[in-house]
Amino acid sequence: MKRTTILLPLLLLLGLNATVRAESVNISPFVLQQLNAAQQAMAQEQYVRAAEVLDKLEQQDLSPPGKAYMHQFRGNLALQQKREAEALEQFHAAWQLDALTEQDQRRLLHTVAQLQLTLDQWKKGTVSLERWMQMVNAAGMADREIRADDYLLLAQGYSQQEQWRKVVDPVKTAIKMKGRAPEDWYRLQLAAHFQLKQWRGATAVLELLTERYPQRSQYWEQLASVYQIRERHADALATLRAAWIGGHLQKERQYIWLVQLMMQQGVPQRAAEVLQQSLQAGSVRDTLKHQRLLAQAQLDAKLYEQGRNTLKRIAERKPDYDTWRQLAYLELQLKRWSDMKRSIDQAVALKPDAGDLLLLRGIADINRAEYDLARSSFERASAYSGTRDQAKSWLSYLEQLQGRS
C-alpha cells in the first residue's frame, strides 16, 4: 500500500525564551542562548555550525530539561538533513527523559510515532501513536491536537501489519473529520472492508466512489462484484449499465460482463445490441469467442435471422463441425431447406459418421422434393444405432409419399 507522506514539523519547540520556559522547566540562560544559536544556524542552513554548537552544549553538565532540548534540537538538525533514523533516536531520547511539560512531552511522542512509521517500524509506530492519542484524550486536548491525518496514519500503520480490524474505525474517523477526504483514504477503508469481507461497508464506500469519481471504471466493476456477492444481481446489472451509458467502462472484460449479466437476467436482446455496438466500436475484440457470445445472445432473444448470420460468419471464418451443426438445426427451425442442406454437407464433410445430420439431410431433401437423395441419406443414417429407428420410419414415410405421387 502506498505510504502516506508524513510532514514532520522541523524545528519543533524552537521558540524558546527565558520568560516562557522559566515558568515550566528549569533551564539556564546559557543553555537558552546556545539553543537559540543552534536554531539560528539551522535557519540559515549552516548545519556544521549548528552541530558544533550542540556538540559543545552536550559537554556541559545539563539539567534534564536541558538534555531533553539538546536531544530535540539534534533531532531537528537530523531531520533537516533527511537523516530520519538519527532524528528518531534523538527525539526518543528527549521523550524518555520525561523532563519537559506535558504538552511538550506529547509533541515529542507524536514526532517519535511519525518517525517510526516513516521508517517502517509499523508495530512501534502504532503503539506510540495510540499512546499519544491516549495522553491527548486524558489531557482533554483531543479537539485541538488530534487531526484527521493522525487517524489516517494510525490506520495505515495497522494496514501494513494486516491488522484490518484495527484499520476500519480510525480511517472512518479520519474521513469524517476531513469532510471531503482524498481518494486514497476511501481506498484504504475499502481495502479493509474487502479483507474483512464486510460487504455492506464496501458497498457504501464504492457507491460514494462511483458518484465522486465516475471516470474510474474499476469502482463500477468492484461495486457490481460486491452486489453480486450480496446476491443483489439486479443492482449489479444496473451498476454496469449505468457505467456503460455514462461511457465509464474502459476494459473489454467489463463490456463482456455487462453482456453476460443481461443474458442471465432475461434481457438477451439488449445484450446482443450492447455487444454488437461494442464490437463495432472496437471496445471488444472481434474474436470467435465474442462472435459466439453474440450468436448466443441473438438466438436467446429469438433474433433467429441475425443469429444465423452470425453463425454463418463464424463457420466461414473457422469451419468446424459444431458450428455447422448448430447452423443446420437453426435452419431446420427456420425451414430454410436449401441452406440447411448446405450446412449439413459442410458438417458431414468434417464428420462423415454424424448420423443425426444424415437424418436431417434426408428431411431437407424431402422438403426439396429430392426423394432419391433423401432415400440415400436415410439409408446411410440407418446404419447407425442412434438414428436407425428414425431413419427406418422416414424411409417408410418416403415410400408412402412416393406411392401417392
Side-chain angles (χ1 to χ4, degrees), residues 50-62:
E52 290 174 350
V53 172
L54 293 173
D55 287 342
K56 290 180 181 179
L57 184 60
E58 189 174 9
Q59 302 303 316
Q60 304 296 315
D61 184 16
L62 300 174

Side-chain angles (χ1 to χ4, degrees), residues 106 109 126-142 146 151 158:
R106 291 197 301 272
L109 182 56
T126 50
V127 169
S128 296
L129 199 54
E130 288 271 22
R131 184 172 181 176
W132 170 74
M133 288 182 172
Q134 292 170 3
M135 291 171 62
V136 173
N137 283 314
M141 302 295 289
I146 303 179
Y151 282 105
Y158 280 127

Side-chain angles (χ1 to χ4, degrees), residues 309-349:
N309 290 333
T310 302
L311 285 174
K312 190 175 179 182
R313 287 197 303 271
I314 294 170
E316 291 171 349
R317 186 168 165 182
K318 185 181 179 182
D320 69 271
Y321 168 78
D322 289 334
T323 303
W324 285 115
R325 182 177 185 274
Q326 183 181 7
L327 194 53
Y329 273 95
L330 175 59
E331 288 162 344
L332 170 65
Q333 185 175 349
L334 296 173
K335 297 182 179 180
R336 298 181 65 125
W337 307 117
S338 296
D339 292 325
M340 174 182 166
K341 177 73 179 296
R342 284 192 290 270
S343 296
I344 291 173
D345 287 344
Q346 294 285 350
V348 171

Side-chain angles (χ1 to χ4, degrees), residues 239-251:
T239 296
L240 285 182
R241 186 172 182 274
W244 177 70
I245 291 173
H248 305 313
L249 297 184
Q250 297 173 357
K251 298 182 179 179

